[in-house]
Amino acid sequence: MELLTSRSTASTPQPKDPSMTTHKPIGPVDATKVPRYAGLGTFARLPQIDRVPDYDIAIVGVPFDGGTSFRPGARFGPAAVREASRLLRPGYHPELDVEPVYEAQVVDAGDIACTPYDITRAVREIEEQALPLISEDKRLISIGGDHTIALPMLRALNKVHGPVALLHFDAHLDTWDTYFDQPITHGTIFRRAFEEGLLVEDKSMHVGIRGPVYDRNDFLRDHEFGFQIIRCSDLDVIGVPAAIQRVKDRLGDTPVYVSIDIDVLDPAFAPGTGTPEMGGLHSRELLALLRGLNGINIVGADVVEVAPAYDHADITTVAAATLVFDLLGLMVNRSKANSTVGRELASASRATS
């Protein structure tokens, strides 16, 4: 699927027209009229960004995997996740009680085009192309690509929202210093984010960490960067509900960036990734954790490290597409709650005036 413009960059929206802010959302192609395997392969067959007058949430692909340290191939993730998203029935999410693609305007913004040969330049290009897609009232979900893409996304978000909390689902910490003397890789981005002041101090969390590390002090340094950890083995003791509460208590109402490395799932549920680790979350556990966070203030998100060459029967890509849909639902529910509170405050103000 090709959504790139003639300049090979993600589509950029036109300046916002105030008269179009309340338009009725244009939803996906009707699957009762056009089979799900037919038509353009946008995410969940949603409209492209240049087909709508305005939008609330954009989904963008970032096909970059130049920062990976083991198995390459995540550059093919965005196209594969979009193809798997044909399986979704995006009209209604029963667990979250939301119709995300009909209650908000969601669009596919195509792919960010960046060099595959220079990490520093690629990160700069990703940030530059992501920034026009974000505003105070516009959210962005990116599909990777390897985890390197989270750093430019955080940089872009900070220019709009300031420092954010990070909720990081992953088998690995990704707060190491360098790989082969390179400061920006898929295993170092959150250390760079901390050093650059992109994260709210003492609000960020890792969930799903497991497996051996390079040094026992890796965890000490991670704690010094302001992270708390819920390991997979912790879930065996405290259970999913307690983990959800721990995350909610930590995040509060802070603006949050949710970053989901698909290898947080056990390889049985996500074989198509670059650095699999056994003993991971089950699909149902991850969905329960994510859906249990309904109400948190998500201002941006990503789903990364899908490497379809190592997948089979679309297991990993279907998981990733489902996670993107859940993130949509969480974002829309939060916006609805804010609108309700705003209306109640306005009504109370009118009543007392």
Side-chain angles (χ1 to χ4, degrees):
M1 184 204 69
E2 180 64 60
L3 290 178
L4 302 182
T5 67
S6 59
R7 293 180 62 194
S8 295
T9 60
S11 301
T12 302
Q14 298 300 312
K16 192 169 183 177
D17 183 345
S19 67
M20 296 180 177
T21 57
T22 59
H23 73 280
K24 182 179 179 181
I26 300 171
V29 175
D30 188 343
T32 67
K33 297 179 179 178
V34 181
R36 282 180 285 168
Y37 48 78
L40 290 176
T42 58
F43 184 85
R45 303 204 303 168
L46 288 161
Q48 299 175 49
I49 195 170
D50 56 0
R51 303 296 177 89
V52 300
D54 197 9
Y55 68 92
D56 302 295
I57 304 171
I59 298 168
V60 69
V62 192
F64 174 80
D65 65 359
T68 195
S69 60
F70 197 60
R71 302 193 304 198
R75 66 183 63 182
F76 301 108
V81 173
R82 284 189 176 105
E83 185 64 21
S85 74
R86 291 176 181 270
L87 283 164
L88 296 173
R89 295 177 179 85
Y92 176 60
H93 195 307
E95 283 78 12
L96 295 175
D97 189 26
V98 63
E99 299 173 295
V101 299
Y102 298 118
E103 297 180 40
Q105 183 61 72
V106 186
V107 297
D108 190 316
D111 284 343
I112 287 175
C114 58
T115 176
Y117 301 115
D118 183 328
I119 293 177
T120 302
R121 178 180 159 192
V123 166
R124 183 176 66 251
E125 290 171 342
I126 293 167
E127 179 187 352
E128 290 171 350
Q129 294 176 56
L131 186 57
L133 299 172
I134 304 167
S135 71
E136 286 285 348
D137 59 355
K138 286 179 168 57
R139 304 289 185 257
L140 183 63
I141 301 175
S142 54
I143 304 173
D146 73 46
H147 222 150
T148 307
I149 74 165
L151 181 59
M153 291 297 172
L154 283 167
R155 288 174 174 172
L157 269 178
N158 267 250
K159 292 180 177 177
V160 176
H161 297 283
V164 297
L166 173 68
L167 178 56
H168 175 217
F169 293 90
D170 203 327
H172 312 98
L173 297 171
D174 291 353
T175 53
W176 287 284
D177 191 10
T178 63
Y179 281 140
F180 295 91
D181 299 322
Q182 294 301 308
I184 300 178
T185 74
H186 74 160
T188 64
I189 65 278
F190 297 132
R191 184 166 182 156
R192 301 289 90 81
F194 168 79
E195 292 169 345
E196 294 177 20
L198 305 181
L199 306 180
V200 177
E201 188 173 354
D202 294 326
K203 285 288 185 180
S204 298
M205 293 194 75
H206 307 292
V207 179
I209 303 300
R210 62 190 187 275
V213 293
Y214 295 109
D215 188 292
R216 67 170 62 244
N217 289 327
D218 289 345
F219 292 105
L220 176 61
R221 285 187 284 269
D222 187 82
H223 180 72
E224 291 171 350
F225 302 149
F227 286 91
Q228 285 187 0
I229 300 173
I230 299 177
R231 295 178 59 83
C232 277
S233 55
D234 294 332
L235 291 172
D236 296 334
V237 178
I238 67 173
V240 170
I244 291 170
Q245 191 59 52
R246 188 179 294 182
V247 173
K248 283 186 167 181
D249 291 344
R250 177 79 165 169
L251 298 178
D253 202 46
T254 308
V256 179
Y257 184 80
V258 179
S259 187
I260 305 177
D261 187 326
I262 203 67
D263 73 23
V264 74
L265 290 170
D266 189 88
F269 302 95
T273 190
T275 48
E277 298 276 0
M278 70 177 299
L281 297 179
H282 294 198
S283 297
R284 194 182 307 172
E285 287 178 319
L286 179 55
L287 291 177
L289 283 163
L290 196 59
R291 293 167 182 173
L293 299 173
N294 200 17
I296 66 171
N297 185 15
I298 302 174
V299 295
D302 66 51
V303 178
V304 298
E305 297 285 354
V306 174
Y310 311 107
D311 202 12
H312 57 86
D314 298 329
I315 293 173
T316 312
T317 54
V318 168
T322 303
L323 292 168
V324 173
F325 182 55
D326 274 35
L327 288 165
L328 283 176
L330 292 171
M331 288 180 172
V332 173
N333 270 348
R334 171 70 186 201
S335 295
K336 285 164 56 181
N338 285 347
S339 297
T340 300
V341 170
R343 286 195 298 270
E344 290 174 349
L345 290 173
S347 178
S349 177
R350 287 194 296 271
T352 57
S353 62

